[in-house]
């Protein structure tokens, strides 16, 4: 099975039904099939060859999805770039992947960035004027389909080789566990970046005949308005987006009819989930994954959300276990590293055999996440192995402290980092963002009430917002750097 075959079959089955809408523009399933044929054929005609990497940096748009699936049809390898990244990040990823072509929507890219540099105007011409014959270039199931990138929360992002085998496995997992009842007549609202997690929901929608609605950029008020106007039935959000939506004026009165809200990309606090379920009902499904196992490790279904703090049970196609530092299986209740195996996994890191060997041992992907499994097979994430703090000889998991801080009224985002301290080893320090009237002393008092002494932040700061990656993950590393640099500068002044 090829990805292009799914597009052709959807065109045959759903014909002129709406497939994609962005603003006032709508493409039918037949239109989408035709547009991807024209672009795929043109990319091959200008000199690109199957297997070549093509970096794509486009905002949420119909054009973005046409490019993604034209590349799939043409046997080309997509290198996804997120518009939230810096130009330096884009150049690094294009170079790291060896991209021959760059398709972009910015003025800063020049002809030096690749052999073929295609701006938005030229892209439109290629989509409109290309050869309309079916574009069919089959690739081996294990050959690269696209290159993703790790989050870069601990260093430079690594390119992850993802295959047709993995893409079809992810599709199967979504349709089996995450959005099993998506169907013709549904409207899926894409508000999160298509270049990241939201794009993973397009193929399930296409295969089932659902209509994908695209927001070029997320805005909480506009999201509520569009969801109400279209009676959107499904969406994907990251917890920060959900928190912003719940703070939107008029949210309680809006006529919203979501049947399924998938979420992921970062942990959700119990308090935020409680507020969200009070507004939307039992419609939430959590997906836990990472770049090396995109979106598919565990799934917490709506009916299981009484398991506070759990990231769910393994997807049907995934095997998940907790291993110790010697790669030995740990029993229920013991804390170790979450590991996963299954057909959805990456093939390898691109051109990094040592990193591949370290992450993939005995068939298991070692996620770098600490967690445990309970007696019923539900998994619980504690934190990244590299983020665990040791304060006064005790292990402190930042996420546990962050969850408590997020439960304090008015706090929308929280990050906990360890700062070097002669007495404590790691000094627990918190940074939060939220409503304009936040009081750090009140938040510290809340923490004293709800946390053991060694877990309580010794310091508290309120920032307008917390630094995040292009995938909307809070960058604890960057927060620690900012605070450390500031304290170093103060010491120099004394």
């Amino acid at each position: 099975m090829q990805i292009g075959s799914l597009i052709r079959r959807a065109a045959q089955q759903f014909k002129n039904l709406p497939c994609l809408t962005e603003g006032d523009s709508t493409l039918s399933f037949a239109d989408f099939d035709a547009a991807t044929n024209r672009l795929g054929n043109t990319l091959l005609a200008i000199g690109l060859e199957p297997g070549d990497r093509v970096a794509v940096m486009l905002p949420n748009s119909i054009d973005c999805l046409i490019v993604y699936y034209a590349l799939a049809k043409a046997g080309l390898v997509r290198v996804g770039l997120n518009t939230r990244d810096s130009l330096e990040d884009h150049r690094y990823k294009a170079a790291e992947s060896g991209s021959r072509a760059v398709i972009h929507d910015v003025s800063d890219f020049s002809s030096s960035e690749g052999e073929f540099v295609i701006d938005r105007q030229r892209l439109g011409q290629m989509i409109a004027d290309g050869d309309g014959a079916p574009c069919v270039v089959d690739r081996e199931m294990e050959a690269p389909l696209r290159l993703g990138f790790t989050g870069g929360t601990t260093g430079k992002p690594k390119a992850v080789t993802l295959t047709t085998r993995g893409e079809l496995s992810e599709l199967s997992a979504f349709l089996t566990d995450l959005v099993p009842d998506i169907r013709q007549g549904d409207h899926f609202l894409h508000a999160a970046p298509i270049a990241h997690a939201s794009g993973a929901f397009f193929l399930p929608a296409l295969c089932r005949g659902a209509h994908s609605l695209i927001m070029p950029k997320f805005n909480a008020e506009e999201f509520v308005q569009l969801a109400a106007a279209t009676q959107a039935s499904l969406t994907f959000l990251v917890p920060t987006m959900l928190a912003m939506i719940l703070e939107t004026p008029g949210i309680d009165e809006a006529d919203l009819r979501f049947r399924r809200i998938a979420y992921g990309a970062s942990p959700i606090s119990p308090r935020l989930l409680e507020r969200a379920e009070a507004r939307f009902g039992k419609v939430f499904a959590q997906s836990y994954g990472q770049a090396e196992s995109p979106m598919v490790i565990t799934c917490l279904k709506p009916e299981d959300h009484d398991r506070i703090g759990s990231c769910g049970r393994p997807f049907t196609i995934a095997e998940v276990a907790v291993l110790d530092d010697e790669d030995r299986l740990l029993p229920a209740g013991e804390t170790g590293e979450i590991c996963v195996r299954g057909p959805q996994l990456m093939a390898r890191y691109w051109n990094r055999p040592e990193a591949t060997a370290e992450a993939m041992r005995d068939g298991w992907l070692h996620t770098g996440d600490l967690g445990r499994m309970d007696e019923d097979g539900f998994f619980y994430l504690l934190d990244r192995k590299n983020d665990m703090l040791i304060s006064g000889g005790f292990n402190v998991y930042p996420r546990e402290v962050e969850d408590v801080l997020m439960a304090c009224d008015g706090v929308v985002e929280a990050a906990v980092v360890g700062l070097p301290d002669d007495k404590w080893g790691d000094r627990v320090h918190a940074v939060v963002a939220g409503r304009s009237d936040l009081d750090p002393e009140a938040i510290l008092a809340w923490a004293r009430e709800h946390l053991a002494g060694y877990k309580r932040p010794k310091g508290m700061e309120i920032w307008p917002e917390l630094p995040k990656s292009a995938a909307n993950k809070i960058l604890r590393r960057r927060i620690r750097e900012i605070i450390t640099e500031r304290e170093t500068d103060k010491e120099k002044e004394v």
Side-chain angles (χ1 to χ4, degrees):
M1 170 64 80
Q2 299 289 313
I3 302 301
S5 300
L6 297 174
I7 299 168
R8 287 185 286 274
R9 185 165 65 189
Q12 180 186 50
Q13 292 178 345
F14 307 116
K15 297 182 173 61
N16 294 321
L17 292 175
C19 174
L20 282 165
T21 293
E22 175 197 352
D24 295 329
S25 299
T26 296
L27 290 188
S28 69
F29 288 88
D31 293 334
F32 183 71
D33 182 39
T36 50
N37 283 335
R38 292 192 297 270
L39 180 58
N41 287 326
T42 303
L43 291 170
L44 296 174
I46 65 174
L48 289 169
E49 299 178 357
D52 284 343
R53 275 79 64 204
V54 179
V56 183
M57 189 189 66
L58 294 172
N60 279 15
S61 59
I62 289 175
D63 283 356
C64 179
L65 286 166
I66 290 174
V67 171
Y68 282 7
Y69 292 97
L71 296 177
K73 284 184 172 183
L76 299 166
V77 180
R78 184 214 318 169
V79 179
L81 305 181
N82 195 317
T83 56
R84 291 172 57 104
D85 278 338
S86 67
L87 183 61
E88 181 183 351
D89 291 330
H90 297 146
R91 286 174 170 155
Y92 164 77
K93 291 177 180 179
E96 178 76 3
S97 62
S99 294
R100 279 190 76 194
V102 176
I103 301 175
H104 69 94
D105 192 34
V106 298
S107 59
D108 295 316
F109 271 105
S110 66
S111 58
S112 64
E113 307 296 342
E115 189 176 342
F116 303 93
V117 179
I118 301 167
D119 63 20
R120 196 72 178 270
Q121 182 177 0
R122 186 181 177 197
L123 174 63
Q125 294 171 345
M126 296 169 78
I127 293 171
D129 300 336
D131 181 356
C135 181
V136 183
V137 178
D138 289 350
R139 77 182 84 205
E140 296 293 327
M141 292 289 283
E142 295 300 317
L145 171 72
R146 61 186 180 95
L147 298 185
F149 280 85
T150 60
T153 54
T154 58
K156 279 286 188 182
K158 296 186 286 292
V160 174
T161 307
L162 302 168
T163 64
T164 300
R165 175 257 304 159
E167 193 86 351
L168 293 175
S169 299
E170 181 183 354
L171 171 64
S172 175
F174 275 42
L175 293 177
T176 301
D177 296 312
L178 191 58
V179 286
D181 65 342
I182 189 171
R183 54 185 179 263
Q184 185 176 327
D186 278 340
H187 296 78
F188 192 105
L189 181 49
H190 294 271
I194 287 173
H196 188 240
S198 189
F201 290 86
F202 174 68
L203 269 187
L206 176 127
C207 289
R208 293 288 171 84
H211 183 189
S212 289
L213 309 172
I214 301 173
M215 289 187 69
K217 188 175 181 180
F218 174 73
N219 174 281
E221 290 189 19
E222 292 174 5
F223 175 91
V224 173
Q225 292 168 3
L226 184 58
T230 60
Q231 295 293 277
S233 40
L234 303 99
T235 193
F236 170 83
L237 301 169
V238 301
T240 300
M241 296 167 69
L242 183 57
M244 295 168 69
I245 289 167
L246 291 173
E247 295 291 328
T248 301
I251 182 63
D252 291 332
E253 295 75 33
D255 183 16
L256 303 178
R257 303 189 182 184
F258 286 110
R259 193 173 70 250
R260 180 63 58 94
I261 298 176
Y263 67 95
S266 64
I268 192 168
S269 73
R271 174 57 181 155
L272 175 57
L273 180 61
E274 179 184 342
R275 291 176 60 208
E277 287 191 326
R279 172 58 186 88
F280 294 103
K282 293 279 189 180
V283 300
F284 289 90
Q286 178 185 166
S287 170
Y288 160 53
Q290 57 182 207
E292 298 88 339
S293 182
M295 302 286 288
V296 178
I297 297 178
T298 62
C299 175
L300 187 67
K301 298 179 180 180
E303 61 270 23
D304 295 324
H305 270 67
D306 57 338
R307 302 267 179 167
I308 303 299
S310 175
C311 59
R313 285 170 163 157
F315 276 88
T316 300
I317 66 168
E319 184 178 359
V320 185
V322 180
L323 304 183
D324 67 11
D325 290 339
E326 304 298 324
D327 290 349
R328 295 173 299 201
L329 188 67
L330 290 173
E334 294 286 325
T335 296
E337 185 174 7
I338 302 288
C339 297
V340 58
R341 59 186 178 188
Q344 80 285 359
L345 296 185
M346 69 171 183
R348 61 188 179 278
Y349 291 118
W350 185 256
N351 291 335
R352 297 204 183 192
E354 295 85 2
T356 301
E358 175 61 25
M360 302 283 291
R361 303 197 296 272
D362 296 326
W364 291 97
L365 169 67
H366 289 63
T367 66
D369 289 328
L370 289 173
R372 60 181 175 82
M373 180 187 72
D374 69 17
E375 295 287 350
D376 297 317
F378 286 88
F379 285 80
Y380 298 78
L381 295 179
L382 297 175
D383 228 310
R384 296 292 293 172
K385 287 179 73 173
N386 294 335
D387 285 341
M388 187 185 76
L389 314 180
I390 301 179
S391 184
F394 293 97
N395 291 347
V396 177
Y397 299 104
R399 182 186 168 187
E400 180 184 2
V401 182
E402 290 162 359
D403 283 348
V404 169
L405 298 177
M406 287 283 290
C408 185
D409 188 45
V411 174
V412 174
E413 298 177 326
V416 169
V417 299
L419 302 179
D421 190 277
D422 292 338
K423 178 180 180 181
W424 299 103
D426 284 321
R427 184 170 81 252
V428 182
H429 191 85
V431 180
V432 303
R435 294 179 191 162
S436 59
D437 59 350
L438 285 178
D439 177 4
E441 291 304 320
I443 300 171
L444 284 172
W446 174 270
R448 285 193 293 270
E449 184 180 346
H450 293 87
L451 288 168
Y454 68 92
K455 298 178 182 178
R456 296 170 191 162
K458 304 295 188 293
M460 167 73 60
E461 300 181 32
I462 297 175
W463 293 4
E465 62 178 338
L466 305 189
K468 302 177 192 68
S469 71
N472 255 319
K473 293 185 179 182
I474 292 173
L475 294 173
R476 291 181 186 142
R477 173 175 56 87
R478 181 60 189 141
I479 292 170
R480 188 183 303 109
E481 288 173 354
I482 292 170
I483 296 171
T484 302
E485 289 169 4
R486 187 184 65 206
E487 293 191 349
T488 300
D489 290 342
K490 286 182 179 178
E491 289 174 0
K492 289 179 180 178
E493 293 173 0
V494 174

